[in-house]
Amino acid sequence: MGLSGPKRHTDKTGDISEAAIIARLLQSGYVVLTPYGKNHRYDLAIEDADGQFWRIQCKTGWTDEKQTVITFATASSYNHTAKQKGWRNYKGQIEYFAIYVEQLGKVYFVPVDAVGNAKAMLRLAPTKNKQEKNVRWAKDYEL
C-alpha cells in the first residue's frame, strides 16, 4: 500500500465526486436530498430558495494535460444483455449536471439542455485560434 495508498476504483472516484458536490451544494445554501436505492437516473435532488426541486446527475470531470478544458460524460452506458450495449443521455430525466474536477477542487453546475448527448467540455483557457463563438466557459458554471 505505501504512502500513495491503494489503486482507486472508478466507484471510489464517483463517491469522492458526489461527496464534494454535496458539500459544495450545502455550502451554497441548498437543501440536498438523496434517493433511496440504486439505478436512478439522478444522484441527488436539491430544493432551491423558492421551494422548487431539481434533479442532479453527479459527474467526474477531468482536464487535459495543459488544463485548458474540462471534459465530462453526458450519457451513461447500459447493458440489457451481453449483446445489447449502448449509451443513454439524460435529457428529460434531470435538470442539471454537477461536475467535480478533483485536479481543480471545483464544482460546476451545468443545465442538461446546455450540453450534447454524449460528452461536454467546459473551457478553462482561450482556444488557440481565439474563437469565442459556442465556447462554454467553465467560470460561467462554477458553483
Side-chain angles (χ1 to χ4, degrees), residues 26 74 132:
L26 291 170
T74 60
E132 292 275 336

Side-chain angles (χ1 to χ4, degrees), residues 84-136:
Q84 277 189 316
K85 296 178 183 179
W87 290 89
R88 243 170 93 192
N89 68 50
Y90 292 93
K91 303 251 180 185
Q93 298 171 338
I94 65 167
E95 285 73 45
Y96 291 94
F97 287 104
I99 303 97
Y100 175 63
V101 183
E102 189 171 7
Q103 299 101 309
L104 305 175
K106 294 184 178 183
V107 173
Y108 300 89
F109 209 56
V110 181
V112 69
D113 293 331
V115 295
N117 292 328
K119 245 188 225 181
M121 290 188 238
L122 300 175
R123 206 88 173 86
L124 293 164
T127 62
K128 287 182 182 178
N129 65 2
K130 306 294 184 214
Q131 178 182 330
E132 292 275 336
K133 188 177 180 183
N134 298 323
V135 171
R136 203 175 296 112

Side-chain angles (χ1 to χ4, degrees), residues 40-68:
H40 301 288
R41 292 298 288 162
Y42 58 95
D43 295 313
L44 310 169
I46 60 170
E47 181 182 4
D48 67 15
D50 297 326
Q52 280 196 287
F53 292 90
W54 307 95
R55 296 167 296 177
I56 311 297
Q57 176 62 41
C58 297
K59 292 292 183 184
T60 301
W62 61 94
T63 64
D64 59 343
E65 284 184 22
K66 294 182 180 178
Q67 292 194 346
T68 59

